[in-house]
Amino acid sequence: MDDKQTRRLSATGRKASVGEHTADADLAKLGYKAELPRSLSMLSVLGLSFAIMAVPYGTSTTMYIALTNGQSVTVLWGWVLVSLISLSIAASLAEICAVFPTAGGVYYWSAMMATKKWARPASWITGWMNLVGNWTVTLSINFGGAQLILSAISLWREGWAANAWQTVLTFWAVMLICFLVNAFCAKYLDLINKVCIYWTAASVVIILITILSMARGGRRSAEFAFAHYDSSASGWPAGFSFFVGLLQAAYTLTGYGLVASMCEEVQNPAREVPKAMVLSVAAAGVTGVVYLLPILFVLPDVQYLLAAANGQPIGLVFKQATGSAAGGFGLLFLILGIMFFAGIGALTASSRCTYAFARDGGVPFSRLFGSTNPKLGIPLWGLVLSTVVDSLLGLIYFGSTAAFNSFTGVATICLSCAYGLPILVSVLRGRRLVEHSTYSLGRFGFAINGICLAWIVLAIFLFSVPVAIPVTPSSMNYASAVFAGFAAISMGWYFIGGRKHFTGPPVVQDADPAIKGQALSTDDEQHVGNETHADIKI
């Protein structure tokens, strides 16, 4: 190595060291001690967000929803519509994240932007919404992955469907793999997240070229791919059915907000994490169009797909397009690879979310779950809790497959609410606390925030209704019941121990106004000053 290369590497090391020191100092001003290694780059966080959304995988496992509720128009234009809305939400969250870059994410933001009176309840509600959303989105990704793995058998044995035990055991195996990677390969997460980007891009290109060039079952017309609408399988009125079918896109495009939990593992989180949020949604939106449109051109008979015994029709699409079970499995294997990236990434974000919320006393045994393992460099017990909770929730499948399928809707509803609450608080406070954000939405802020909030209100209602009617016990959407169950647990724990131990995020007296958007000095209602959250009485 020559002197020039040595000097360059030395300068790079000094720059990283300075950036890490600055990020740790900024975190201290927000009330926390840096405990996790800052080993992730912006590209890695972008890859993590992209991995959690896992566009080809997410849209494939929920394709039956859009096919039931409108077919091509819902699949394609529903995706475009939700992508634009998700981009607005991501930009709104990025604006806030640039001011408060902590692993606490949305619950920290709600507390810091609320008035002193409402800081603790706003933080508690947002925190539990976010926690349940993280857990259930990880659950739905890995359980759906287990079903997709088993659906590969039906490529050779059509009509075959796994029983409950086979499905749950496969799910537990997937959870175990994701846990082991997170626990013992943490130093490789940066590489894994980057590889995910290339794997996904290559998979989409391979699938696109393969199904369009082979198309053994023939090709659909452009009119069908772009304009065909048939909601007769849903039983809902045609217009309303389109909105019900948006769950396919909405569920897939939920992961961008989860990466806020990684703020304390990035060297310049105030700049890099907001950027990753927005870019990942933009990339996911384009990826979705490139992936879904070729599938619509080779789509087999929709009733044949909806009748699939395993509820996962994508393998049959690939089989018919390639003309063989082996060819269909080859393409399905690419989707399964994306699934593992998504499962690993979702569990990573879920463990950090659990750790951050426990650190502030938001969950039982918070001292344990809010700690880090110095040897592994991860919040090990937060990872264990997330894995155990998801594994236990998988047991619901033995009682009711319909109840489990509702977790898809619950994940979307909870994360939407968790994203919406800090945006709502910001709007109610006149957006004063984000006006100096380095990612400010400027004069369009109120309009963009308003669109986000209107969509979230609509989504809560839409994703609580059944995919199709008439409703039977096996087709009922239990999302509202599951959501209410988690809400009851949250409220119960608040009165049992939360109100005694949960003070919300810490507030330090010498907080740098630059870190808080230079917006916290004029409002005597704001809870920054001589009081801490420990002094707040509700």
Side-chain angles (χ1 to χ4, degrees), residues 16 136 192 248 320 343:
T136 52
I192 290 172
Q248 179 195 28
Q320 183 149 329

Side-chain angles (χ1 to χ4, degrees), residues 24-25 44 66 84 159 202 207 237 267 270 301 315 325 376 396 401 414 445 513 516:
D24 289 348
S44 178
L84 293 174
I207 291 171
Q267 289 182 6
D301 178 68
L376 297 176
I396 294 177
T401 56
C414 286
K516 302 193 173 190

Side-chain angles (χ1 to χ4, degrees), residues 106-122:
V106 288
Y107 88 86
Y108 186 97
W109 306 340
S110 290
M112 293 300 287
M113 293 190 297
T115 61
K116 181 172 65 175
K117 177 181 179 181
W118 292 102
R120 186 162 65 165

Side-chain angles (χ1 to χ4, degrees), residues 15-51:
K15 183 177 180 182
S17 178
V18 170
E20 184 173 336
H21 174 74
T22 302
D24 289 348
D26 289 345
L27 182 64
K29 292 175 182 178
L30 294 178
Y32 297 107
K33 176 184 176 182
E35 297 181 292
L36 298 170
R38 294 188 180 274
S39 58
L40 301 181
S41 63
M42 191 282 288
L43 184 61
S44 178
V45 177
L46 173 63
L48 176 64
S49 180
F50 198 63

Side-chain angles (χ1 to χ4, degrees), residues 95-461:
E95 180 182 49
I96 303 172
C97 183
V99 182
F100 305 112
T102 76
V106 288
Y107 88 86
Y108 186 97
W109 306 340
S110 290
M112 293 300 287
M113 293 190 297
T115 61
K116 181 172 65 175
K117 177 181 179 181
W118 292 102
R120 186 162 65 165
S123 180
W124 180 271
I125 294 171
T126 307
W128 268 94
M129 289 284 187
N130 191 42
L131 186 62
V132 173
N134 272 262
W135 285 343
T136 52
V137 80
T138 305
L139 168 65
S140 58
I141 287 171
N142 287 335
F143 204 100
Q147 292 177 316
L148 196 62
I149 291 171
L150 293 170
S151 74
I153 298 175
S154 67
L155 294 177
W156 286 272
R157 297 172 56 189
E158 287 195 26
W160 181 88
N163 61 37
W165 267 113
Q166 292 167 328
T167 304
V168 172
L169 288 175
T170 305
F171 163 64
W172 284 344
V174 172
M175 286 297 306
L176 179 61
I177 293 172
C178 294
F179 171 82
L180 293 175
V181 172
N182 271 280
F184 302 109
C185 301
K187 62 181 179 180
Y188 300 114
L189 288 178
D190 183 73
L191 176 62
I192 290 172
N193 294 336
K194 292 176 182 176
V195 170
C196 172
I197 298 176
Y198 299 110
W199 179 284
T200 303
S203 298
V204 170
V205 172
I206 292 171
I207 291 171
L208 181 153
I209 293 174
T210 302
I211 63 178
L212 288 182
S213 61
M214 299 184 74
R216 298 294 176 85
R219 295 186 183 88
R220 300 277 194 169
S221 65
E223 181 182 2
F224 177 89
F226 287 97
H228 178 73
Y229 186 82
D230 181 1
S231 62
S232 58
S234 72
W236 291 111
F240 183 72
S241 182
F242 170 79
F243 289 100
V244 175
L246 295 181
L247 177 57
Q248 179 195 28
Y251 163 70
T252 304
L253 294 169
T254 53
Y256 51 87
L258 275 64
V259 297
S261 299
M262 311 304 294
C263 277
E264 295 174 28
E265 297 173 65
V266 180
Q267 289 182 6
N268 193 339
R271 181 186 67 191
E272 307 294 4
V273 176
K275 186 190 302 183
M277 281 186 189
V278 176
L279 288 178
S280 65
V281 176
V286 174
T287 302
V289 172
V290 175
Y291 175 71
L292 292 170
L293 194 54
I295 288 177
L296 293 176
F297 272 105
V298 300
L299 198 70
D301 178 68
V302 173
Q303 295 305 316
Y304 165 69
L305 296 178
L306 293 178
N310 51 51
Q312 297 290 346
I314 191 64
L316 298 178
V317 175
F318 292 156
K319 177 182 178 180
Q320 183 149 329
T322 59
S324 69
F329 178 75
L331 298 182
L332 186 63
F333 177 80
L334 298 175
I335 303 298
L336 291 175
I338 296 172
M339 179 274 294
F340 276 106
F341 283 117
I344 292 168
L347 190 57
T348 301
S350 181
S351 65
R352 271 52 170 188
C353 171
T354 303
Y355 154 75
F357 197 40
R359 183 174 57 181
D360 286 329
V363 298
F365 307 106
S366 56
R367 183 170 297 180
L368 175 66
F369 297 122
S371 65
T372 60
N373 184 292
K375 184 177 181 180
L376 297 176
I378 61 170
L380 179 60
W381 287 107
L383 176 64
V384 169
L385 179 61
S386 299
T387 305
V388 170
V389 168
D390 283 344
S391 298
L392 292 177
L393 288 174
L395 294 173
I396 294 177
Y397 194 74
F398 287 113
S400 171
T401 56
F404 173 79
N405 292 337
S406 298
F407 278 114
T408 301
V410 171
T412 307
I413 292 170
C414 286
L415 289 177
S416 295
C417 290
Y419 298 163
L421 283 169
I423 297 173
L424 176 62
V425 173
S426 178
V427 170
L428 293 177
R429 300 301 303 279
R431 290 179 41 81
R432 293 192 300 276
L433 282 79
V434 296
E435 60 184 4
H436 296 287
S437 171
T438 52
Y439 286 87
S440 175
L441 298 177
R443 60 182 178 177
F444 301 105
F446 278 108
I448 293 174
N449 290 168
I451 291 172
C452 297
L453 295 173
W455 162 253
I456 289 169
V457 171
L458 178 63
I460 293 172
F461 167 71

